[in-house]
Amino acid sequence: MGGGHGSSVDRLHLAGDTIIHRLAPHVKIVATFAFVISVAISPRQRVEVFAVAFACVLTLIMVARIPLRVWLARCAVILPFMTMAVLVPFVGGGEQTEVLGVSLSTDGLWAAFNIAAKALIGASASIVLAATTPVTGLLEGFARLRVPRVLISIVAFMIRYLDLLVAQLGRMRTAMVARAHDPRWLWQAKPIASSAGALFVRSYERGERVHQAMLARGYTGVMPDLVEQSRPRSDWWAAIVVPAPVVAVLVLRLL
Amino acid sequence: MFDTPAIVAMHAPDGFLEPGVAVVTAVIAVVVTAIGLRRATDELGDRQVPLAGLAAAFIFAAQMFNFPVAAGTTGHLLGGALAAILLGPWVGSLIVTVVVVVQAVLFADGGLTALGYNTINMSIVTAFGGWAAFRLLRRVMPANSAGVVGATALAAGISVVLSSAAFSIEWLFGASAPVAFDTVFGAMVGVHALIGIGEGLISALVIAAVLAARPDLVAGAADLDLADLSRPARVGTRTFVIGAFLSTIVVAAVVSQFAVDNPDGLEKVAEDEGFISSARDHALDSSIFADYATSGVDNATVSLAVAGVAGVLITLAVGYGLLGASRLGRRTQGA
Amino acid sequence: MSCAPLSVDGLCFTYPGEHHRALDGFGLQVAAGERVAVLGPNGSGKTTFVMHLNGLHQLQRGAITIGDLEMCDDNLAEIRRRVGAVFQDADDQLFMPSVRADVAFGPANLGVPKAERDAIVERALTQVGAMDLIDRTPHHLSGGEKRRVAIATVLAMDPHMLVLDEPTSGLDPFGRRELADLLVSLPQTQLVVTHDLPFALQICPRSVVVSGGRVVADGPTAEVLADTALLEENRLELPYGFDPSRV
C-alpha cells in the first residue's frame, strides 16, 4: 500500500509504561493542544521560543522512549511543506541577502524557518500523543472533553473497520496484479476505481448489517457511554507543565 | 494528491497560516460540523453511527490507495465531492471532516492548529462546492447514469480547484511567507486544475461502479429512476483524460491571464461595474490582509479583485450546496 | 429461566419491490432447550426467517411466539433481549473498540448500571472461555475467538434462545470443534442455520429443511441426512465419504 498512511491505526501506539504513557488521555490531549497553540502563536523572530519548544518535544520523546527513527519516519508527513519552505527564500520578495553567492530573500528565510519550525514541533507533539496513547484511550479522552458522543462513535467505527476495508482493497488489487494489470497511466486507472466503487457498496452494506446487529442487541440510537469510569485520576498538572516552558519564554520578553 | 509539494492546500501543518486565520476558520469549521452532525442525524436516524463510520472508513481507505497518473507516478483521491455525491453534502462533509481530524490527531498529517482551514478546504468546500457544481451540471446533462457520471467527473474536478482557491484566499488574510497572493493563486489553481483531472476521473469511475451495482446508494442520483441508472454508463476513459487535460490548459491560461500577466481584463470588468475605486480604497486602508500577500504585487487592486471574485464564487458555490442540501430528498436513506 | 420454546406459524414475507415470497407459510415448533439445525440452499428463506426472530423484519403475516411473548411492536425490545442472534460475519457483530465494550453494549442498552455490567461481561466471557480476550481489540482476534466473543455479546443479554447464522463459516477444524463443545454446553434453546451438515449432525438432534420459504422436512438429524433424495432436491451435500449412519 502506498499513500500517506501506510501503517495500520493500531500500530501507531507504542506500548510502554512511562510517565507519559500513564497520563490520563484527556489531560494529554489538552496538554498537546496547549503546547502546539503556544508554539503556533509565537512570532517567528523569537528563535529562543522555538528552541525551548523543540527541547520540550525532544524531552517528551526521550521520556516516552519513542525510538528516534520512529519519530523521524512519522515526521515524513510534513516533508512536502519542508520542501516548499526551502523554496520560499528563492522566490520571496523584499530585502535580499547573499548566501554563497545566491541572492535570497531575508524575509523568505525567516518565513522558511517559521514554517519548518512550527510544522516540525507541531507534528512531533502529535506524534508523542498518538505514540503514547492507545486509540481507545484517545476516544475516551475526547469523550471526557465533551466532544459529542455521536462524533466519537463515528470515529470509533471508522477505525474499527478501516483495516478491514484496506485489506479488501488490497485483495482486489492483488487479484488485478495476478492478472497482469499494471497500470502506469491515468486512463488505465479504471479497474482500480471500479474496485473502489465496489468497496463503497460493500462498506455501505456492512454498515447496514452492523446496524442490524446493533438493533438486535437493543440499540435505540444512543451509543452507550464509552468513558471507562475506572480511571478517575486527573493529572491536570501535566496540562500545565508541558506547555509551561514555551509560554514562560514567550511571555518573558513582554514583561 | 501527488506526493509532491503540489499538495500544499491539503493537510497544511501548524503555523502555515497566521493565528487569526486559524481561529476564524476553526470557528467556522466547528459550526458547520455541528450543523452537519445534526443534519446527518436527521437523514440517517439511528443508522448514523454505523453508516457514517463505515463511509468514513471507505474515504480513508480510498485516500490510502494509489492510482497511476503518468509514467508510473501515482496520486490518490481526496474524496470530498465523491462523498457528497454518494451520501449527500451534509453526511459527505461530516465524514471527510472526521477523516481530516483523525489524520491530524493520529498521523500528525496536518497540524492541530491548522484543523480549521484544513477542514474548510478539504471537506467543507469540496463537499458543498462539489455538490453545488454537481447539481448545476446535472441540469444540463442527460437525466441518466451517463449524465450523473459526467457531472461527477466535472464537479469533482471543480471541487479540487475550489479548494485550492479557498486556500489562496486564506493566504491573502494569513500569509506566513513573502509570496504574493497572485503568485499563490496562480500556482495553486493551476496545479490543482491538473490534480482535478485525476480526482474527476476517479470519482466518476467510482460513481459509475456504484450506479451499476447499487444505484439506490448514490444520493446525487436520488431523483432518477433506478431501472435507468443500473444500465452501465459508457465512459471513454482515454477520451475523457485528453479532453479534460486540454480544457484544463485553457482554464489555467485564462486564470493566469487574470491573475498575473494581463490584469486588463478584470480591471475592465471592475471599472465597468464601478467598484474599482472602492476596491482600491479597501486595499489601501485595510489591515486585515496579510502584508505578505499584498506587498510586492504589481497591481494590488487586481489581485484583490481576483480574490474577491474567487471568494464570492466559493461562497456562492458552498451556499448553493448548502441550499441544495437542505432540499435533498431522503430516498437513499430509506432503503 | 434461561430457555424458552419457540412457536412460528404461517409466516409469509415479501421484500419491498419484489413479487416473489421469501417466506411462504413458514411454520416451526421448537421445545424449550432443544437444539435444531435449519438446513437449506441459498435463497431458501433461512436468513429472512432468522431476521424475523429478532424483529429485524416487520411481521407481514403469521405469528411468532417466544416463551409467553408474542412478536409485536410493543414487545420488540424484550424479544430482542430474549433472542440472541449470532450473525454470520463476526465482524458485523463486533463493532466496538474493545471486547469488553462490545460485550457490554447490549446490557448498556438494556439500562444495566455500570457496576453490574462488569460482572455480566465477565460471566459471559467466562461462559465462552474467552475471559483472557477481555481487553483485546475485536479485529485482532482469530476467527474462532471472534465467534466465541460474538456469542458472549448475546449471552450478556441473558437470552432465552440463540439463533446462529452459519456459525462454522471461516473456522478451522479446531475452532469448529471448540464451537461445537461450547454450543452443547449452553442451556438455551438453539436454532443453528448452517450448510455444514456434519456440524448439524454433531450438535443438533433435530433438523428441519427449508425450501421455497417453508419447512419441507423435519425429523431427527441422522434421518434427514440419510434421505439422499431430499438432500439432492434441496442442493444439500454431505462431504465426500461422510456417512451419517456411521458417526
Side-chain angles (χ1 to χ4, degrees):
Chain A
M1 305 298 307
H5 319 280
S7 68
S8 144
V9 172
D10 309 288
R11 266 176 282 154
L12 291 170
H13 173 239
L14 307 173
D17 193 29
T18 69
I19 183 166
I20 297 177
H21 283 84
R22 285 196 301 268
L23 285 174
H26 61 292
V27 175
K28 259 191 272 191
I29 293 166
V30 172
T32 307
F33 270 91
F35 177 79
V36 175
I37 289 170
S38 61
V39 172
I41 59 172
S42 300
R44 63 188 59 184
Q45 284 86 356
R46 303 288 303 277
V47 180
E48 74 281 8
V49 176
F50 297 112
V52 168
F54 191 62
C56 285
V57 160
L58 276 185
T59 311
L60 291 175
I61 290 169
M62 298 295 177
V63 173
R65 302 220 177 98
I66 299 169
L68 286 181
R69 62 185 163 73
V70 172
W71 166 55
L72 288 173
R74 291 188 189 175
C75 277
V77 289
I78 56 169
L79 271 181
F81 299 92
M82 292 299 197
T83 321
M84 214 207 85
V86 168
L87 292 175
V88 169
F90 296 95
V91 300
E95 200 181 310
Q96 303 284 308
T97 344
E98 287 275 312
V99 179
L100 298 172
V102 182
S103 172
L104 298 176
S105 149
T106 327
D107 229 8
L109 285 169
W110 275 112
F113 168 71
N114 182 56
I115 291 172
K118 288 178 177 175
L120 179 64
I121 295 167
S124 303
S126 302
I127 290 165
V128 172
L129 177 67
T132 60
T133 323
V135 173
T136 46
L138 284 173
L139 295 174
E140 279 171 26
F142 280 107
R144 259 172 206 274
L145 296 171
R146 301 271 184 275
V147 173
R149 209 187 288 172
V150 181
L151 204 54
I152 290 175
S153 305
I154 291 173
V155 173
F157 273 63
M158 180 188 94
I159 291 169
R160 163 69 180 89
Y161 289 104
L162 182 59
D163 283 358
L164 222 59
L165 300 199
V166 171
Q168 276 181 343
L169 208 44
R171 283 197 296 276
M172 292 182 200
R173 172 161 264 191
T174 309
M176 275 178 237
V177 173
R179 280 175 279 162
H181 179 70
D182 179 23
R184 294 181 56 77
W185 302 91
L186 183 54
W187 53 82
Q188 296 168 336
K190 186 167 181 179
I192 293 173
S194 300
S195 62
L199 186 72
F200 174 76
V201 173
R202 287 194 197 182
S203 312
Y204 195 93
E205 288 174 345
R206 187 182 285 281
E208 291 176 322
R209 291 198 306 273
V210 171
H211 174 244
Q212 290 188 325
M214 294 167 78
L215 286 182
R217 281 195 275 152
Y219 181 64
T220 53
V222 182
M223 286 298 283
D225 219 338
L226 276 170
V227 180
E228 293 288 330
Q229 298 299 324
S230 55
R231 187 148 39 177
R233 214 158 40 88
S234 278
D235 326 87
W236 282 111
W237 56 267
I240 298 165
V241 167
V242 172
V246 177
V247 176
V249 179
L250 191 60
V251 175
L252 213 58
R253 178 83 71 85
L254 300 178
L255 295 178
Chain B
M1 177 150 120
F2 303 98
D3 294 321
T4 68
I7 61 164
V8 282
M10 317 303 162
H11 292 303
D14 290 298
F16 206 68
L17 295 175
E18 293 299 320
V21 172
V23 171
V24 172
T25 51
V27 170
I28 296 172
V30 167
V31 169
V32 175
T33 305
I35 301 172
L37 208 51
R38 183 165 302 173
R39 290 299 312 244
T41 312
D42 292 346
E43 284 173 25
L44 298 180
D46 66 351
R47 309 196 308 163
Q48 179 187 25
V49 169
L51 287 187
L54 264 298
F58 165 74
I59 293 293
F60 205 132
Q63 289 191 355
M64 286 162 82
F65 210 60
N66 292 336
F67 59 79
V69 176
T73 60
T74 59
H76 71 82
L77 203 64
L78 299 170
L82 175 66
I85 293 164
L86 283 171
L87 299 157
W90 285 112
V91 180
S93 151
L94 180 71
I95 62 168
V96 181
T97 300
V98 162
V99 171
V100 169
V101 172
V102 168
Q103 283 168 344
V105 174
L106 290 182
F107 294 89
D109 200 359
L112 296 180
T113 61
L115 274 176
Y117 42 92
N118 281 342
T119 302
I120 288 184
N121 299 341
M122 293 167 65
S123 93
I124 295 173
V125 169
T126 53
F128 287 102
W131 177 257
F134 177 77
R135 295 302 301 171
L136 288 172
L137 288 161
R138 277 287 315 281
R139 290 189 185 173
V140 296
M141 299 258 189
N144 56 24
S145 61
V148 173
V149 171
T152 301
L154 289 167
I158 289 168
S159 76
V160 177
V161 176
L162 284 177
S163 171
S164 70
F167 176 83
S168 309
I169 289 165
E170 288 150 10
W171 184 263
L172 180 64
F173 292 94
S176 64
V179 182
F181 164 78
D182 50 5
T183 312
V184 170
F185 186 84
M188 289 296 284
V189 171
V191 169
H192 284 82
L194 285 172
I195 292 177
I197 297 176
E199 181 81 9
L201 176 75
I202 301 293
S203 303
L205 290 171
V206 171
I207 291 287
V210 177
L211 281 176
R214 284 285 303 267
D216 58 313
L217 297 190
V218 181
D223 53 324
L224 298 179
D225 197 326
L226 292 183
D228 294 341
L229 286 172
S230 49
R231 252 176 265 132
R234 291 295 312 146
V235 188
T237 310
R238 188 173 190 142
T239 320
F240 171 81
V241 171
I242 294 169
F245 189 75
L246 290 177
S247 41
T248 300
I249 289 175
V250 173
V251 170
V254 172
V255 166
S256 61
Q257 284 291 310
F258 275 132
V260 191
D261 300 333
N262 181 5
D264 297 346
L266 245 176
E267 204 161 18
K268 188 168 184 307
V269 175
E271 240 161 336
D272 292 348
E273 299 298 322
F275 75 84
I276 193 153
S277 56
S278 63
R280 180 170 287 135
D281 291 343
H282 196 52
L284 296 176
D285 297 343
S286 181
S287 58
I288 59 164
F289 300 117
D291 294 340
Y292 280 146
T294 50
S295 67
V297 180
D298 295 336
N299 193 331
T301 311
V302 173
S303 64
L304 285 180
V306 170
V309 171
V312 167
L313 274 177
I314 293 170
T315 314
L316 279 180
V318 172
Y320 182 80
L322 289 170
L323 202 70
S326 60
R327 287 193 301 240
L328 176 65
R330 283 211 225 157
R331 201 197 67 194
T332 50
Q333 273 78 35
Chain C
M1 152 146 160
S2 58
C3 60
L6 166 74
S7 163
V8 180
D9 286 302
L11 212 55
C12 294
F13 186 81
T14 310
Y15 280 98
E18 287 180 23
H19 304 293
H20 166 78
R21 274 188 179 176
L23 291 181
D24 189 10
F26 193 104
L28 179 64
Q29 309 295 322
V30 180
E34 206 178 0
R35 260 194 313 281
V36 178
V38 180
L39 314 173
N42 292 334
S44 60
K46 288 176 304 183
T47 304
T48 313
F49 167 60
V50 169
M51 301 283 248
H52 271 89
L53 293 178
N54 240 290
L56 292 174
H57 282 331
Q58 190 83 29
L59 215 53
Q60 287 175 353
R61 195 194 301 171
I64 300 175
T65 314
I66 291 147
D68 52 1
L69 212 59
E70 190 163 342
M71 174 78 75
C72 62
D73 281 351
D74 289 345
N75 292 338
L76 199 57
E78 180 58 16
I79 294 261
R80 283 181 178 159
R81 188 189 72 73
R82 288 195 189 181
V83 179
V86 180
F87 288 70
Q88 181 171 355
D89 185 345
D91 277 319
D92 294 343
Q93 191 144 18
L94 306 176
F95 41 77
M96 297 293 275
S98 73
V99 168
R100 183 194 296 275
D102 225 314
V103 181
F105 181 84
N109 286 327
L110 298 178
V112 177
K114 179 86 188 153
E116 294 166 43
R117 238 185 280 163
D118 287 344
I120 292 176
V121 169
E122 286 172 22
R123 198 170 57 228
L125 283 172
T126 309
Q127 226 177 337
V128 299
M131 195 47 207
D132 52 323
L133 305 175
I134 189 163
D135 287 317
R136 296 272 297 278
T137 311
H139 58 283
H140 289 164
L141 305 178
S142 73
E145 289 170 334
K146 277 182 189 169
R147 188 73 62 192
R148 277 187 284 149
V149 173
I151 293 171
T153 65
V154 301
L155 290 180
M157 299 184 70
D158 192 20
H160 297 182
M161 174 177 176
L162 295 179
V163 182
L164 302 105
D165 193 0
E166 295 293 351
T168 57
S169 70
L171 295 191
D172 58 19
F174 187 77
R176 189 167 161 278
R177 230 270 311 291
E178 280 186 327
L179 178 72
D181 293 345
L182 170 63
L183 292 182
V184 169
S185 76
L186 296 174
Q188 281 87 358
T189 311
Q190 290 171 31
L191 282 186
V192 182
V193 177
T194 188
H195 284 296
D196 187 341
L197 304 185
F199 187 75
L201 183 63
Q202 194 177 349
I203 69 162
C204 298
R206 176 183 161 202
S207 288
V208 296
V209 177
V210 180
S211 183
R214 68 174 73 123
V215 172
V216 294
D218 186 345
T221 306
E223 281 178 28
V224 170
L225 296 191
D227 188 343
T228 40
L230 177 74
L231 294 188
E232 196 164 329
E233 209 171 292
N234 291 294
R235 302 177 58 83
L236 295 168
E237 186 153 312
L238 290 162
Y240 178 75
F242 185 87
D243 181 353
S245 64
R246 296 168 58 128
V247 176

mmCIF file of all heavy atoms in Angstrom, chain B residues 6 11 43 67 70 78 119 126-127 131 135 138 161 170 177 180 188 209 217 268 291 300 303 330:
data_model
loop_
_atom_site.group_PDB
_atom_site.id
_atom_site.type_symbol
_atom_site.label_atom_id
_atom_site.label_comp_id
_atom_site.label_asym_id
_atom_site.label_seq_id
_atom_site.Cartn_x
_atom_site.Cartn_y
_atom_site.Cartn_z
ATOM 1 N N ALA B 6 2.913 19.880 -4.479
ATOM 2 C CA ALA B 6 1.648 20.344 -5.031
ATOM 3 C C ALA B 6 0.500 20.198 -4.047
ATOM 4 O O ALA B 6 -0.559 20.770 -4.246
ATOM 5 C CB ALA B 6 1.329 19.581 -6.311
ATOM 6 N N HIS B 11 -3.832 19.209 4.106
ATOM 7 C CA HIS B 11 -3.062 18.777 5.273
ATOM 8 C C HIS B 11 -1.974 19.770 5.643
ATOM 9 O O HIS B 11 -0.843 19.385 5.921
ATOM 10 C CB HIS B 11 -2.406 17.414 5.002
ATOM 11 C CG HIS B 11 -3.378 16.294 4.897
ATOM 12 N ND1 HIS B 11 -4.258 15.990 5.886
ATOM 13 C CD2 HIS B 11 -3.609 15.401 3.904
ATOM 14 C CE1 HIS B 11 -4.990 14.953 5.517
ATOM 15 N NE2 HIS B 11 -4.630 14.593 4.326
ATOM 16 N N GLU B 43 -30.977 12.736 8.677
ATOM 17 C CA GLU B 43 -31.038 11.959 7.444
ATOM 18 C C GLU B 43 -30.862 10.464 7.690
ATOM 19 O O GLU B 43 -31.489 9.644 7.025
ATOM 20 C CB GLU B 43 -29.958 12.443 6.461
ATOM 21 C CG GLU B 43 -30.328 13.751 5.784
ATOM 22 C CD GLU B 43 -29.184 14.306 4.949
ATOM 23 O OE1 GLU B 43 -28.334 13.519 4.504
ATOM 24 O OE2 GLU B 43 -29.165 15.528 4.734
ATOM 25 N N PHE B 67 -3.516 5.510 -7.350
ATOM 26 C CA PHE B 67 -3.806 5.155 -8.740
ATOM 27 C C PHE B 67 -2.745 5.800 -9.626
ATOM 28 O O PHE B 67 -2.097 6.776 -9.235
ATOM 29 C CB PHE B 67 -5.217 5.579 -9.142
ATOM 30 C CG PHE B 67 -5.489 7.049 -9.020
ATOM 31 C CD1 PHE B 67 -5.049 7.937 -10.002
ATOM 32 C CD2 PHE B 67 -6.203 7.554 -7.953
ATOM 33 C CE1 PHE B 67 -5.309 9.284 -9.905
ATOM 34 C CE2 PHE B 67 -6.465 8.915 -7.845
ATOM 35 C CZ PHE B 67 -6.012 9.770 -8.819
ATOM 36 N N ALA B 70 0.857 9.197 -14.409
ATOM 37 C CA ALA B 70 1.583 9.177 -15.670
ATOM 38 C C ALA B 70 2.937 8.542 -15.451
ATOM 39 O O ALA B 70 3.603 8.826 -14.447
ATOM 40 C CB ALA B 70 1.749 10.597 -16.212
ATOM 41 N N LEU B 78 -8.987 12.638 -3.075
ATOM 42 C CA LEU B 78 -9.303 13.456 -1.904
ATOM 43 C C LEU B 78 -10.687 13.108 -1.386
ATOM 44 O O LEU B 78 -10.912 12.986 -0.203
ATOM 45 C CB LEU B 78 -9.227 14.939 -2.254
ATOM 46 C CG LEU B 78 -7.851 15.408 -2.714
ATOM 47 C CD1 LEU B 78 -7.921 16.811 -3.255
ATOM 48 C CD2 LEU B 78 -6.872 15.323 -1.573
ATOM 49 N N THR B 119 -9.934 21.670 7.474
ATOM 50 C CA THR B 119 -11.297 21.148 7.384
ATOM 51 C C THR B 119 -12.096 21.904 6.333
ATOM 52 O O THR B 119 -12.806 21.305 5.515
ATOM 53 C CB THR B 119 -11.996 21.268 8.753
ATOM 54 O OG1 THR B 119 -11.237 20.563 9.711
ATOM 55 C CG2 THR B 119 -13.394 20.704 8.693
ATOM 56 N N THR B 126 -14.922 21.226 -0.565
ATOM 57 C CA THR B 126 -15.028 20.179 -1.589
ATOM 58 C C THR B 126 -16.411 19.531 -1.577
ATOM 59 O O THR B 126 -16.978 19.272 -2.638
ATOM 60 C CB THR B 126 -13.966 19.082 -1.384
ATOM 61 O OG1 THR B 126 -14.062 18.601 -0.050
ATOM 62 C CG2 THR B 126 -12.565 19.588 -1.646
ATOM 63 N N ALA B 127 -16.974 19.284 -0.393
ATOM 64 C CA ALA B 127 -18.274 18.609 -0.342
ATOM 65 C C ALA B 127 -19.394 19.533 -0.832
ATOM 66 O O ALA B 127 -20.159 19.170 -1.732
ATOM 67 C CB ALA B 127 -18.566 18.113 1.074
ATOM 68 N N TRP B 131 -20.846 19.549 -4.500
ATOM 69 C CA TRP B 131 -22.271 19.240 -4.602
ATOM 70 C C TRP B 131 -22.988 20.304 -5.448
ATOM 71 O O TRP B 131 -23.820 19.984 -6.297
ATOM 72 C CB TRP B 131 -22.893 19.160 -3.212
ATOM 73 C CG TRP B 131 -24.371 18.919 -3.207
ATOM 74 C CD1 TRP B 131 -25.351 19.828 -2.982
ATOM 75 C CD2 TRP B 131 -25.030 17.671 -3.457
ATOM 76 N NE1 TRP B 131 -26.588 19.236 -3.066
ATOM 77 C CE2 TRP B 131 -26.419 17.911 -3.359
ATOM 78 C CE3 TRP B 131 -24.591 16.388 -3.756
ATOM 79 C CZ2 TRP B 131 -27.362 16.902 -3.536
ATOM 80 C CZ3 TRP B 131 -25.534 15.388 -3.933
ATOM 81 C CH2 TRP B 131 -26.901 15.647 -3.827
ATOM 82 N N ARG B 135 -24.969 19.624 -8.849
ATOM 83 C CA ARG B 135 -26.394 19.913 -9.084
ATOM 84 C C ARG B 135 -26.569 20.781 -10.328
ATOM 85 O O ARG B 135 -27.490 20.565 -11.125
ATOM 86 C CB ARG B 135 -27.010 20.641 -7.884
ATOM 87 C CG ARG B 135 -27.054 19.827 -6.614
ATOM 88 C CD ARG B 135 -27.814 18.548 -6.733
ATOM 89 N NE ARG B 135 -29.204 18.743 -7.130
ATOM 90 C CZ ARG B 135 -30.026 17.746 -7.460
ATOM 91 N NH1 ARG B 135 -29.589 16.504 -7.469
ATOM 92 N NH2 ARG B 135 -31.265 17.991 -7.782
ATOM 93 N N ARG B 138 -25.865 18.702 -13.434
ATOM 94 C CA ARG B 138 -26.928 17.725 -13.673
ATOM 95 C C ARG B 138 -28.048 18.346 -14.513
ATOM 96 O O ARG B 138 -28.691 17.665 -15.309
ATOM 97 C CB ARG B 138 -27.499 17.225 -12.341
ATOM 98 C CG ARG B 138 -26.728 16.103 -11.672
ATOM 99 C CD ARG B 138 -26.898 14.767 -12.376
ATOM 100 N NE ARG B 138 -28.277 14.489 -12.733
ATOM 101 C CZ ARG B 138 -29.203 14.045 -11.896
ATOM 102 N NH1 ARG B 138 -28.884 13.783 -10.661
ATOM 103 N NH2 ARG B 138 -30.441 13.839 -12.299
ATOM 104 N N VAL B 161 -10.346 22.445 -7.502
ATOM 105 C CA VAL B 161 -9.926 23.805 -7.856
ATOM 106 C C VAL B 161 -10.498 24.800 -6.842
ATOM 107 O O VAL B 161 -9.801 25.715 -6.389
ATOM 108 C CB VAL B 161 -10.377 24.140 -9.291
ATOM 109 C CG1 VAL B 161 -10.038 25.579 -9.622
ATOM 110 C CG2 VAL B 161 -9.705 23.196 -10.278
ATOM 111 N N GLU B 170 -7.445 32.275 1.904
ATOM 112 C CA GLU B 170 -6.983 32.258 3.296
ATOM 113 C C GLU B 170 -5.545 32.804 3.372
ATOM 114 O O GLU B 170 -5.177 33.482 4.327
ATOM 115 C CB GLU B 170 -7.041 30.833 3.856
ATOM 116 C CG GLU B 170 -8.454 30.346 4.122
ATOM 117 C CD GLU B 170 -8.604 28.843 3.976
ATOM 118 O OE1 GLU B 170 -7.579 28.150 3.861
ATOM 119 O OE2 GLU B 170 -9.746 28.371 3.963
ATOM 120 N N ALA B 177 4.485 33.740 4.586
ATOM 121 C CA ALA B 177 5.735 33.841 3.838
ATOM 122 C C ALA B 177 5.573 34.910 2.765
ATOM 123 O O ALA B 177 4.462 35.166 2.298
ATOM 124 C CB ALA B 177 6.076 32.504 3.192
ATOM 125 N N ALA B 180 3.442 36.519 -2.838
ATOM 126 C CA ALA B 180 2.260 37.341 -3.050
ATOM 127 C C ALA B 180 1.047 36.492 -3.397
ATOM 128 O O ALA B 180 1.165 35.391 -3.941
ATOM 129 C CB ALA B 180 2.513 38.349 -4.161
ATOM 130 N N MET B 188 -1.492 27.701 -7.279
ATOM 131 C CA MET B 188 -2.407 26.744 -6.645
ATOM 132 C C MET B 188 -3.495 26.309 -7.610
ATOM 133 O O MET B 188 -3.751 25.128 -7.794
ATOM 134 C CB MET B 188 -3.059 27.375 -5.412
ATOM 135 C CG MET B 188 -2.149 27.572 -4.243
ATOM 136 S SD MET B 188 -1.567 26.009 -3.603
ATOM 137 C CE MET B 188 -3.004 25.450 -2.755
ATOM 138 N N ALA B 209 -19.304 2.706 -11.022
ATOM 139 C CA ALA B 209 -19.322 1.351 -10.471
ATOM 140 C C ALA B 209 -20.445 1.195 -9.449
ATOM 141 O O ALA B 209 -21.126 0.169 -9.405
ATOM 142 C CB ALA B 209 -17.968 1.028 -9.823
ATOM 143 N N LEU B 217 -27.785 3.756 -3.802
ATOM 144 C CA LEU B 217 -26.847 4.296 -2.814
ATOM 145 C C LEU B 217 -26.235 5.621 -3.243
ATOM 146 O O LEU B 217 -25.415 6.180 -2.534
ATOM 147 C CB LEU B 217 -25.715 3.298 -2.527
ATOM 148 C CG LEU B 217 -26.112 1.971 -1.903
ATOM 149 C CD1 LEU B 217 -24.881 1.202 -1.451
ATOM 150 C CD2 LEU B 217 -27.041 2.193 -0.721
ATOM 151 N N LYS B 268 -10.982 45.916 -16.348
ATOM 152 C CA LYS B 268 -12.035 46.498 -17.171
ATOM 153 C C LYS B 268 -13.401 46.140 -16.590
ATOM 154 O O LYS B 268 -14.262 47.002 -16.445
ATOM 155 C CB LYS B 268 -11.915 45.965 -18.610
ATOM 156 C CG LYS B 268 -12.841 46.668 -19.567
ATOM 157 C CD LYS B 268 -12.501 46.323 -21.010
ATOM 158 C CE LYS B 268 -13.365 47.115 -21.967
ATOM 159 N NZ LYS B 268 -14.799 46.963 -21.664
ATOM 160 N N ASP B 291 0.232 41.371 5.176
ATOM 161 C CA ASP B 291 1.109 42.260 4.412
ATOM 162 C C ASP B 291 1.777 41.502 3.270
ATOM 163 O O ASP B 291 1.908 41.991 2.165
ATOM 164 C CB ASP B 291 2.195 42.834 5.327
ATOM 165 C CG ASP B 291 1.584 43.745 6.376
ATOM 166 O OD1 ASP B 291 0.444 44.198 6.137
ATOM 167 O OD2 ASP B 291 2.225 43.974 7.405
ATOM 168 N N ALA B 300 -2.165 45.674 -6.791
ATOM 169 C CA ALA B 300 -2.877 45.142 -5.634
ATOM 170 C C ALA B 300 -4.379 45.095 -5.873
ATOM 171 O O ALA B 300 -5.055 44.156 -5.480
ATOM 172 C CB ALA B 300 -2.574 46.000 -4.404
ATOM 173 N N SER B 303 -5.330 42.006 -7.849
ATOM 174 C CA SER B 303 -5.273 40.732 -7.134
ATOM 175 C C SER B 303 -6.361 40.664 -6.075
ATOM 176 O O SER B 303 -6.922 39.600 -5.829
ATOM 177 C CB SER B 303 -3.887 40.482 -6.541
ATOM 178 O OG SER B 303 -3.599 41.450 -5.582
ATOM 179 N N ARG B 330 -34.750 12.120 0.726
ATOM 180 C CA ARG B 330 -34.158 11.135 1.617
ATOM 181 C C ARG B 330 -34.284 9.733 1.061
ATOM 182 O O ARG B 330 -34.189 8.759 1.792
ATOM 183 C CB ARG B 330 -34.883 11.175 2.962
ATOM 184 C CG ARG B 330 -34.464 12.344 3.790
ATOM 185 C CD ARG B 330 -34.552 11.955 5.231
ATOM 186 N NE ARG B 330 -35.178 13.004 6.007
ATOM 187 C CZ ARG B 330 -35.766 12.768 7.150
ATOM 188 N NH1 ARG B 330 -35.858 11.552 7.602
ATOM 189 N NH2 ARG B 330 -36.288 13.745 7.832
#
